[in-house]
Amino acid sequence: MTTLLAVNAFGALVLIGIVFSILISRSRWVLLPGLLGFVYVLFWGVWQVADMMTGVGINQSVLFHFFSGTEDADYRQFLKEIVVFAGFVTLAVLVLAGSVVKAWRNRVAAKPVSLTSGFLPSLIGCGVVIVGWLISPWHLNLLALKDSYVALDADQTRKLRALYDTSPRRITSDKNLVVLYLESVESTYFDERLFPELLPALRERRGESLHFSGIAQTPGTGWTIAGLVNTQCGLPLATPGAGNNDMGRVRYFLPKAKCLAEHLQDNGFRTVYMGGASGKFAGKDRFLEQHGFDVVRDKEYFGTWKGMAESEFSGWGAYDDELLEGVFDEFVTLSEKQEPFALFALTMDTHHPHGHISPSCRGVRYRDGKLKSLNALACADRLVSRFIDRVRASPWAADTTLVVLSDHLAMVNDATPLIEKAARRDNLLMVFDSDIAPGERRVQGTMLDVGPTLLSLMRADTAALGFGRSLLEPGRSNQAYSRDYFASDDVMEYLSFSRTLWDMPQVVGQIRSDGDKGILLGGNQFEAPFFSVLNESNKVIELYFYNFSQHLADLQEGVRYLYARECEEVKSPSPGICLVAGLKGVGEKVFSSTELVEGVSALEAF
């Protein structure tokens, strides 16, 4: 809170300086501080809202969802953030409009101006903005994110390829696997000093499990799709481009990765995922379907197959009581078939900032009920502990390994002031298995180590997955990502390597449209609108879905680019989606939607 007040106080001083320079300037140069002030206030607003959601300003998760859009998100949960951002946008527009009006009046007046009343005030205003920008936390956030987009040299690439383990696995366990991800439920909530009697049932169940402490949150983790990629593939989530993108709008999601469900599938396990939210959000459905899941059931499943009306959903989708009932039914069905299976599920009611209360929990409150996120957790305590009990009391308990874990640490919610009092924040990981003794295991690990730990539980012949290493391995001498994180806090080269696993296409042959918004480039398909940067070999090296003009302006002279968007936006009379191919500083070609459907030669484009 102190940091936030300091940032806003400093921002207000910068804004006062900008406004003052505009008011005293008598030249048309007054447009410069107005334009820079517009950008400054806009980024101030972006950072403010990002900090309201993450607690750490602009990070990987903010960029991912900013560039991805937020299809099927529950916007009602973020009304405060929307209002705050709208206020900053209004303020930014007022600064720009004020400078335009002042410039027009100065021009109309047409009076001779001195250096001190003309150019100098505008120069001072620009200097105030520049200094303010360089000191600002959003500038520091962006610099830190930029460092994660460094190119790997040959030695780094060889090192990381040697550490990145995707070799075939032989799994010998005769047990089935059930994995339940709990949205934003971290170990901190079990701290009785901070949250007395918040999770009494789950605390009791945790004491009956093998549970881990010391699983940290690191770069490339920290939001739901990242948590799935971390634990399923042993990778930090990083995407191509100068920011994280909507990779759900790309046909192939991390096509060069090899993930946990694929190894299970290769060993004869039927793999099923169930979640109450839409699978389209952040490209989750494509990730799951392309990485080893035979069946993916999401909000659409509960709406269509379960016959649930829209009024029976929360803003995100099916409530957790309905989800967990469906997961248990699926567990029974799969168990009765007496064939190997792995069942994964993800809850949603505890999503920040306020959570949701399942219908069966109406009236459940934590203490005075003022903190809505803790009311949602009190409900989760009831629902999740009941699910654990049902699985463990079932006829198939001895044949089942049940794992309950976080997808990531809690983002900013109404209980954040309490969470921040914790000496350390860890992700949750509990294992229930009749052949494994309960107790606490203290480790130095990350979410990337969860997948290989599950492989160890399933008696795989190799306790590694991607850059992750099993938390059950004695000594953990062969650590990769986690070792470097705890040794130096620097894992940027791992993010850069992860980015290469998207296998962006080389633009050769024909570029075609599917007649709608799909554009086929090489062996991949992107959904328009998109903007891509190509290297000398016509390989896509960066990909964006917003802010085209900014990305184009940032390119160096002579760099190739290719983008697709509505024809009217590129001043083409053709309806539909047009293609633009260009060489920065040289020129560009526009291809109509008709030409794009028929096919545009890559040679013709460049």
Side-chain angles (χ1 to χ4, degrees):
M1 184 61 70
T2 303
T3 301
L4 184 60
L5 288 173
V7 169
N8 288 334
F10 180 77
L13 288 175
V14 172
L15 181 60
I16 290 170
I18 297 168
V19 172
F20 183 71
S21 72
I22 291 173
L23 291 175
I24 66 173
S25 178
R26 296 183 181 177
S27 80
R28 282 173 287 179
W29 288 103
V30 72
L31 283 172
L32 277 178
L35 185 60
L36 292 177
F38 172 81
V39 175
Y40 180 88
V41 174
L42 204 59
F43 269 89
W44 181 10
V46 169
W47 182 88
Q48 182 83 25
V49 172
D51 192 69
M52 290 170 71
M53 301 174 78
T54 67
V56 292
I58 301 171
N59 64 5
Q60 297 268 350
S61 66
V62 173
L63 287 181
F64 184 94
H65 289 296
F66 176 76
F67 285 100
S68 71
T70 51
E71 181 183 3
D72 291 314
D74 182 6
Y75 296 107
R76 294 173 300 179
Q77 291 273 304
F78 302 101
L79 290 178
K80 181 180 178 182
E81 289 81 358
I82 292 170
V83 169
V84 168
F85 186 64
F88 274 96
V89 171
T90 302
L91 186 59
V93 170
L94 288 174
V95 170
L96 182 59
S99 68
V100 171
V101 171
K102 183 67 173 176
W104 178 78
R105 288 181 175 177
N106 290 342
R107 182 179 180 182
V108 170
K111 294 179 180 178
V113 293
S114 64
L115 179 65
T116 56
S117 65
F119 180 70
L120 189 57
S122 298
L123 183 63
I124 292 173
C126 292
V128 168
V129 177
I130 292 171
V131 172
W133 178 276
L134 293 175
I135 298 175
S136 70
W138 50 92
H139 177 239
L140 300 178
N141 288 164
L142 293 173
L143 284 178
L145 288 169
K146 181 184 175 185
D147 290 342
S148 71
Y149 288 87
V150 296
L152 297 173
D153 60 33
D155 289 340
Q156 288 174 313
T157 301
R158 280 193 293 269
K159 168 199 161 185
L160 292 170
R161 282 179 178 168
L163 292 172
Y164 182 59
D165 195 327
T166 59
S167 57
R169 302 284 182 274
R170 182 171 176 267
I171 295 175
T172 59
S173 174
D174 56 0
K175 294 194 175 189
N176 298 310
L177 179 65
V178 177
V179 178
L180 180 62
Y181 291 93
L182 304 183
E183 170 65 44
S184 304
V185 180
E186 59 179 88
S187 292
T188 311
Y189 288 122
F190 289 83
D191 189 334
E192 285 291 301
R193 294 167 299 174
L194 300 176
F195 303 101
E197 291 299 309
L198 173 61
L199 303 173
L202 282 176
R203 168 176 286 280
E204 183 178 341
R205 305 305 178 276
R206 188 173 70 154
E208 298 166 355
S209 72
L210 171 63
H211 53 281
F212 296 79
S213 59
I215 302 176
Q217 185 154 290
T218 59
T221 71
W223 67 106
T224 297
I225 186 62
L228 291 175
V229 171
N230 306 152
T231 56
Q232 290 283 324
C233 310
L235 288 168
L237 180 57
T239 54
N244 286 322
N245 312 288
D246 180 9
M247 304 316 289
R249 292 165 65 176
V250 175
R251 176 180 288 178
Y252 303 112
F253 198 114
L254 281 174
K256 295 177 75 174
K258 178 82 172 184
C259 304
L260 173 64
E262 293 171 272
H263 289 298
L264 292 167
Q265 204 175 51
D266 291 344
N267 281 268
F269 284 75
R270 179 170 176 77
T271 49
V272 178
Y273 168 88
M274 297 184 71
S278 170
K280 292 183 175 61
F281 184 70
K284 186 166 51 184
D285 53 355
R286 290 191 179 179
F287 167 68
L288 296 167
E289 289 164 357
Q290 294 169 12
H291 287 286
F293 282 89
D294 297 308
V295 177
V296 175
R297 291 177 175 158
D298 65 353
K299 177 182 177 181
E300 184 178 354
Y301 164 78
F302 287 94
T304 304
W305 294 100
K306 290 288 186 179
M308 293 177 63
E310 191 67 30
S311 60
E312 297 179 83
F313 290 138
S314 73
W316 283 105
Y319 286 99
D320 285 352
D321 54 2
E322 186 69 33
L323 168 71
L324 292 175
E325 191 65 34
V327 174
F328 184 75
D329 288 347
E330 186 70 17
F331 165 70
V332 172
T333 300
L334 292 170
S335 297
E336 287 176 340
K337 292 181 178 179
Q338 298 185 339
E339 295 175 356
F341 70 86
L343 173 60
F344 294 78
L346 169 66
T347 65
M348 184 52 69
D349 284 357
T350 46
H351 196 285
H352 85 125
H354 306 301
H356 295 278
I357 300 294
S358 286
S360 64
C361 284
R362 299 299 185 210
V364 171
R365 294 162 51 137
Y366 177 66
R367 299 207 155 182
D368 61 10
K370 291 182 179 179
L371 299 179
K372 294 181 180 179
S373 61
L374 299 189
N375 294 337
L377 281 158
C379 175
D381 182 61
R382 174 192 291 187
L383 297 178
V384 176
S385 60
R386 179 173 180 266
F387 175 80
I388 293 171
D389 291 347
R390 294 178 77 186
V391 172
R392 296 175 70 196
S394 73
W396 307 281
D399 302 318
T400 304
T401 298
L402 171 62
V403 179
V404 180
L405 73 159
S406 313
D407 60 345
H408 54 77
L409 297 182
M411 293 186 182
V412 173
N413 59 36
D414 50 16
T416 294
L418 291 172
I419 297 173
E420 289 178 340
K421 293 180 181 179
R424 186 183 71 189
R425 297 177 63 183
D426 294 335
N427 281 288
L428 177 68
L429 178 59
M430 302 185 292
V431 178
F432 301 89
D433 189 306
S434 57
D435 295 328
I436 297 177
E440 180 182 8
R441 183 178 287 248
R442 299 185 179 183
V443 297
Q444 270 197 337
T446 67
M447 292 297 279
L448 276 67
D449 299 321
V450 171
T453 303
L454 299 185
L455 284 172
S456 288
L457 293 170
M458 301 304 288
R459 299 179 189 170
D461 54 0
T462 303
L465 178 66
F467 292 123
R469 301 296 183 263
S470 174
L471 298 170
L472 295 170
E473 181 189 353
R476 289 170 43 77
S477 58
N478 67 338
Q479 289 185 75
Y481 177 93
S482 295
R483 173 197 60 208
D484 289 346
Y485 173 75
F486 286 106
S488 66
D489 200 31
D490 182 5
V491 290
M492 294 309 171
E493 61 184 12
Y494 290 93
L495 291 168
S496 295
F497 183 89
S498 176
R499 195 168 293 111
T500 68
L501 301 180
W502 288 95
D503 196 25
M504 289 290 98
Q506 186 172 14
V507 182
V508 294
Q510 296 284 308
I511 305 169
R512 293 185 181 276
S513 166
D514 64 0
D516 190 17
K517 292 188 175 183
I519 307 298
L520 187 64
L521 296 180
N524 210 327
Q525 179 172 304
F526 302 151
E527 182 181 323
F530 69 84
F531 181 96
S532 60
V533 181
L534 285 65
N535 64 13
E536 298 82 358
S537 303
N538 276 6
K539 184 176 178 64
V540 175
I541 55 174
E542 295 180 19
L543 181 64
Y544 308 94
F545 293 94
Y546 295 94
N547 301 332
F548 291 8
S549 58
Q550 182 62 52
H551 296 309
L552 180 57
D554 290 343
L555 294 181
Q556 295 182 350
E557 297 291 311
V559 172
R560 299 181 183 192
Y561 60 89
L562 189 73
Y563 65 88
R565 62 191 312 176
E566 292 288 342
C567 292
E568 63 180 0
E569 294 176 337
V570 296
K571 299 179 181 179
S572 170
S574 173
I577 300 296
C578 285
L579 181 75
V580 180
L583 203 63
K584 177 70 179 291
V586 177
E588 60 183 30
K589 301 176 184 177
V590 178
F591 299 92
S592 70
S593 57
T594 302
E595 292 174 296
L596 197 51
V597 170
E598 294 174 351
V600 174
S601 168
L603 293 175
E604 183 184 357
F606 297 103

